[in-house]
């Protein structure tokens, strides 16, 4: 093609951009173009009552200068510089698969950098956007799209996923019509209610998928354009006043992973699985065979007795369990969910000799020892909150509503991150822990930092920093992302963890739909899937052991029950399913 066009090719995908003044126009994102195909410069017949100069969809459409669709940037300086327009565009081609595009606006003194990398093996496009304030005054940012993607006229249906606790990944199929389609999340974490990604289906069996690699508030919109195409934007949802960029500072969005497949939604899933696998950081550099879990929560809840737990471990090892995870209830004063979060020392009333005898018993049986923690939370009834009530997210003069009897610690404060790192480090140093089940059992409300400004974004970055610090100090430890079950499943947290707890609902029939939604975006080896009790604790429904096992088999297998309570025949059948999983994994 002429130099006016920029082309990236994947295995079954092509991406084409066209130089136009100070920006790049989207010309194609879809099926791979044939070798030697040429495009003509974009020429469109303008509707009457239009501006005399055509403004088509670019990689970063801006507000105020004639683009009347959704803008990729909304920002101002004290009410001014609200209309942006780029005069210069510089493209750096780093290799055959990656572009760095720099757009400059000399009037508003802003620079936008868009990076696009199309992996030729997975057909997944990774994109981010950076905004640099080159002016002399602070810039307030209302919206910055991480990606602005084109969809052709054949893109007619969108599939998204919502739900709630114990009913994650509820699938919604909707036609794309003449109005804007929009999904928002303002809960402060990824949420049960709305996964940060969707799949768009074409009338010809093709499909496009995109997901935001971010564990906080998020937005995605799909908007019809006057030329028959649509634009798809994804990014962080920003609270009023949340983001102000000082002179010389830059803001970089989370990544968006996007893909096209001629093989429909299954092809999109396969592309995403390959891309997520390539991003994973495993202890030792590679994934080991996924060990079969036993998690103690639904077996014992808060009723911890060392001899009872050792007996449970004996039975677990006998049926083939390889990792024994001690869930909530092990730390000081923790007899129910009303107290003690934040006090990460062992309850000597339950464990007079600490956790070491239990951990040694587990490892002597040939199993790994794992532990449940919820570092980002604090109970008002705790030693930590009594000593540092200012460490919880709050707004001066406003009440502090609890959820599950707990508040959220402000992880933007360095002293909070240091305290949590030291508490977790003590546990990981003193005990043979190879696995942390990391929970997060409430949404953020209120969510102001020490300066009184919204802190949703800073909270996510503080969590990432703590996880990164733990992983660096203890590289042999695997971490499970749990948030009341499936409330924090996304490609951002996946780079810092090694497993997702898909849902607190272990009912096999419920799990079929939940797991199908999960697998649209994430590979099965990250999907925690447990054989639960019958009747199921979440629904009360009774199901055969074989059905429960079959539904759990496609994921990372675990057991969420007390196998000592099974009849001998059922216990032997459970052991047989575990053995079969080990053959297949």
């Amino acid at each position: 093609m002429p130099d006016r066009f920029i082309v990236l090719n994947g295995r079954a995908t092509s991406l084409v951009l066209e130089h136009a003044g100070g920006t790049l126009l989207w010309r194609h994102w879809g099926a791979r173009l044939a070798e030697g195909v040429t495009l003509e410069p974009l020429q469109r017949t303008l509707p009457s009552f239009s501006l005399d100069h055509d403004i088509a969809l670019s990689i970063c459409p801006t507000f105020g200068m004639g683009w009347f669709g959704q803008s990729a940037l909304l920002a101002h300086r004290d009410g001014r510089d609200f209309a942006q327009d780029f005069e210069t565009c510089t493209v750096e081609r780093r290799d055959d698969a990656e572009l760095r595009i720099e757009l400059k606006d000399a009037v508003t003194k802003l620079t936008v950098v868009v990076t696009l990398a199309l992996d030729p093996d997975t057909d997944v496009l990774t994109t981010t956007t950076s905004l640099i304030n080159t002016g002399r005054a602070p810039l307030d940012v209302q919206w910055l799209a991480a990606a602005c993607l084109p969809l052709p006229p054949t893109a007619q249906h969108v599939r998204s996923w919502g739900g709630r606790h114990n009913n994650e990944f509820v699938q919604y199929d909707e036609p794309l019509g003449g109005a804007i389609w929009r999904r928002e999340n303002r809960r402060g974490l990824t949420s049960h209610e709305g996964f940060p990604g969707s799949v768009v289906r074409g009338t010809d069996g093709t499909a496009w998928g995109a997901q935001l690699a971010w564990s906080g508030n998020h937005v995605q919109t799909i908007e019809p354009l006057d030329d028959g195409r649509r634009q798809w934007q994804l990014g962080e949802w920003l609270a009023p006043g949340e983001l102000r960029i000082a002179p010389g500072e830059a803001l970089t969005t989370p990544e968006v992973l996007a893909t096209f497949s001629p093989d429909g939604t299954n092809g999109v899933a396969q592309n995403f699985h390959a891309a997520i696998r390539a991003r994973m950081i495993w202890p030792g550099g590679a994934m080991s065979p996924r060990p079969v879990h036993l998690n103690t929560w639904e077996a014992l809840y808060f009723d911890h007795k060392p001899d009872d737990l050792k007996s449970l471990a004996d039975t677990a090892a006998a049926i083939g369990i390889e990792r024994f995870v001690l869930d909530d209830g092990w730390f000081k004063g923790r007899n129910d969910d009303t107290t003690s979060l934040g006090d990460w020392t062992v309850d000597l009333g339950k464990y007079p000799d600490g956790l070491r005898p239990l951990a040694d018993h587990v490892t002597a049986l040939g199993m790994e020892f794992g532990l449940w923690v919820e570092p980002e939370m604090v109970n008002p009834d705790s030693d930590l909150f009594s000593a540092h009530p200012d460490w919880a997210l709050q707004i001066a003069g406003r009440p502090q509503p609890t959820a599950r009897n707990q508040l959220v610690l402000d992880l933007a404060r360095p002293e909070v991150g240091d305290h949590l790192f030291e508490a977790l480090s003590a546990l990981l140093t003193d005990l043979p822990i190879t696995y942390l089940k990391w929970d997060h059992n409430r949404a953020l409300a209120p969510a102001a930092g020490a300066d009184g400004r919204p802190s949703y974004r800073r909270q996510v970055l503080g969590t990432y920093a703590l996880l990164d610090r733990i992983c660096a100090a203890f590289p042999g430890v695997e971490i499970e992302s749990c948030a009341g079950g499936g409330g924090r499943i996304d490609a951002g947290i996946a780079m810092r963890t090694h497993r997702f707890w898909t849902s607190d609902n272990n009912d096999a029939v419920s799990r079929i739909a939940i797991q199908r939604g999960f697998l649209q975006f994430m590979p099965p080896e990250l999907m925690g899937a447990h054989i639960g009790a019958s009747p199921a604790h979440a629904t009360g429904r009774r199901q055969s052991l074989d059905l429960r096992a079959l539904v759990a088999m496609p994921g990372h297998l675990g057991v969420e029950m007390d196998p000592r309570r099974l009849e001998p025949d059922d216990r032997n059948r459970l052991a047989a399913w575990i053995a079969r999983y080990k053959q297949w994994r």
Side-chain angles (χ1 to χ4, degrees):
M1 289 189 185
D3 292 341
R4 183 183 183 102
F5 297 97
I6 301 171
V7 181
L8 295 179
N9 286 319
R11 174 173 35 84
T13 304
S14 289
L15 176 159
V16 182
L17 298 163
E18 179 184 350
H19 285 280
T23 190
L24 295 175
L25 303 181
W26 273 113
R27 292 299 305 272
H28 178 77
W29 175 47
R32 179 165 177 143
L33 300 177
E35 296 295 332
V37 69
T38 60
L39 294 179
E40 295 297 325
L42 184 66
Q43 293 182 338
R44 306 191 305 171
T45 301
L46 299 180
S48 58
F49 209 67
S50 297
L51 298 180
D52 292 335
H53 173 64
D54 182 27
I55 299 178
L57 178 65
S58 71
I59 59 166
C60 186
T62 55
F63 176 75
M65 293 301 295
W67 172 259
F68 299 112
Q70 295 287 304
S71 301
L73 171 62
L74 294 172
H76 67 93
R77 294 189 182 91
D78 195 23
R80 298 178 180 274
D81 294 332
F82 66 89
Q84 301 90 27
D85 195 19
F86 302 116
E87 296 95 4
T88 62
C89 171
T90 304
V91 180
E92 176 188 353
R93 189 155 192 158
R94 294 178 171 175
D95 53 38
D96 288 341
E98 184 173 352
L99 303 173
R100 182 185 184 275
I101 303 156
E102 185 175 279
L103 309 170
K104 290 189 175 182
D105 182 349
V107 175
T108 61
K109 294 181 172 55
L110 294 177
T111 298
V112 170
V113 177
V114 178
T115 60
L116 300 170
L118 180 60
D119 184 344
D121 295 324
T122 66
D123 272 337
V124 170
L125 172 68
T126 302
T127 176
T128 60
T129 304
S130 296
L131 175 64
I132 305 164
N133 180 8
T134 59
R136 297 181 179 180
L139 182 77
D140 287 301
V141 181
Q142 178 183 340
W143 167 246
L144 178 63
C148 177
L149 303 167
L151 293 169
T154 55
Q156 292 293 321
H157 295 86
V158 60
R159 176 172 292 172
S160 62
W161 285 263
R164 57 171 175 77
H165 176 241
N166 277 342
N167 193 30
E168 295 86 347
F169 286 103
V170 175
Q171 180 175 301
Y172 300 101
D173 287 295
E174 301 168 84
L176 291 169
I180 293 175
W181 178 90
R182 183 175 180 93
R183 291 292 301 269
E184 295 186 2
N185 167 56
R186 299 179 289 278
R187 291 178 177 267
L189 75 164
T190 319
S191 87
H192 305 82
E193 287 74 16
F195 182 82
S198 296
V199 174
V200 174
R201 294 177 293 137
T203 55
D204 53 358
T206 58
W208 297 257
Q211 56 177 310
L212 184 70
W214 181 244
S215 306
N217 295 333
H218 50 84
V219 180
Q220 49 177 330
T221 62
I222 301 176
E223 178 186 37
L225 304 177
D226 59 9
D227 60 6
R229 296 186 296 168
R230 303 179 193 274
Q231 66 154 327
W232 189 359
Q233 292 189 12
L234 302 94
E236 294 178 65
W237 183 90
L238 298 173
E242 184 168 9
L243 262 183
R244 175 172 290 171
I245 309 176
E249 286 188 345
L251 163 68
T252 299
T253 68
E255 292 178 324
V256 168
L257 279 61
T259 191
F260 164 82
S261 175
D263 300 319
T265 57
N266 284 347
V268 166
Q270 291 165 359
N271 293 350
F272 277 147
H273 292 185
I276 295 293
R277 287 178 177 130
R279 294 160 62 90
M280 295 293 297
I281 302 172
W282 292 101
M287 185 188 76
S288 61
R290 299 293 75 214
V292 181
H293 281 212
L294 185 138
N295 193 65
T296 66
W297 180 239
E298 290 193 3
L300 300 172
Y301 291 101
F302 293 106
D303 187 18
H304 287 210
K305 298 181 180 70
D307 288 343
D308 194 33
L309 282 157
K310 289 178 181 178
S311 170
L312 178 61
D314 291 339
T315 302
I319 62 173
I321 299 294
E322 299 163 303
R323 178 182 283 159
F324 185 91
V325 182
L326 184 65
D327 210 291
D328 195 358
W330 60 266
F331 49 98
K332 185 175 69 173
R334 186 68 164 178
N335 296 311
D336 55 39
D337 63 12
T338 66
T339 182
S340 302
L341 276 180
D343 300 339
W344 301 110
T345 56
V346 178
D347 189 330
L348 296 180
K350 296 180 180 179
Y351 299 93
D353 300 315
L355 288 178
R356 168 64 72 169
L358 174 62
D360 286 347
H361 184 81
V362 167
T363 56
L365 290 167
M367 295 186 292
E368 298 180 33
F369 182 68
L371 195 65
W372 179 94
V373 292
E374 193 172 6
E376 297 154 81
M377 301 294 156
V378 64
N379 284 126
D381 182 8
S382 66
D383 293 344
L384 180 64
F385 187 78
S386 296
H388 301 286
D390 55 318
W391 282 10
L393 291 172
Q394 56 194 281
I395 297 175
R398 298 289 187 190
Q400 289 180 275
T402 57
R404 201 175 183 252
N405 304 297
Q406 61 199 52
L407 300 171
V408 185
L409 292 171
D410 183 356
L411 265 71
R413 300 173 72 125
E415 62 271 29
V416 174
D418 289 343
H419 170 81
L420 293 174
F421 177 76
E422 290 166 6
L424 294 171
S425 294
L427 292 165
L428 293 168
T429 301
D430 295 343
L431 295 166
I433 298 169
T434 60
Y435 186 84
L436 289 176
K437 180 181 179 182
W438 188 301
D439 215 338
H440 183 299
N441 277 308
R442 64 158 293 175
L444 275 57
D451 57 3
R453 297 176 69 89
S455 198
Y456 298 97
R457 186 171 203 270
R458 291 180 292 181
Q459 185 73 9
V460 176
L461 295 176
T463 300
Y464 285 173
L466 179 59
L467 284 165
D468 291 344
R469 198 172 169 187
I470 291 292
C471 290
F474 302 94
V477 174
E478 291 188 12
I479 299 175
E480 176 181 290
S481 175
C482 175
R488 190 155 61 184
I489 296 172
D490 61 78
I493 204 84
M495 296 182 67
R496 298 162 171 89
T497 55
H498 309 92
R499 187 186 201 250
F500 291 111
W501 183 224
T502 321
S503 177
D504 282 343
N505 185 352
N506 288 303
D507 178 292
V509 173
S510 299
R511 273 287 187 138
I512 292 171
I514 292 170
Q515 293 178 182
R516 182 184 291 121
F518 176 97
L519 292 169
Q520 181 65 65
F521 298 94
M522 299 290 166
E525 62 268 29
L526 304 188
M527 183 175 74
H530 290 187
I531 304 171
S534 180
H537 290 202
T539 66
R541 292 192 291 207
R542 295 183 180 275
Q543 294 147 355
S544 72
L545 177 61
D546 290 344
L547 174 63
R548 287 176 276 147
L550 281 164
V551 172
M553 289 287 278
H556 179 178
L557 184 67
V559 172
E560 193 84 18
M561 69 167 96
D562 188 341
R564 297 173 301 177
R565 299 177 181 272
L566 295 175
E567 295 294 330
D569 286 348
D570 280 343
R571 194 180 308 130
N572 291 336
R573 185 178 291 111
L574 176 59
W577 279 113
I578 291 171
R580 185 172 298 180
Y581 172 81
K582 291 177 181 178
Q583 292 175 345
W584 287 352
R585 66 184 172 186

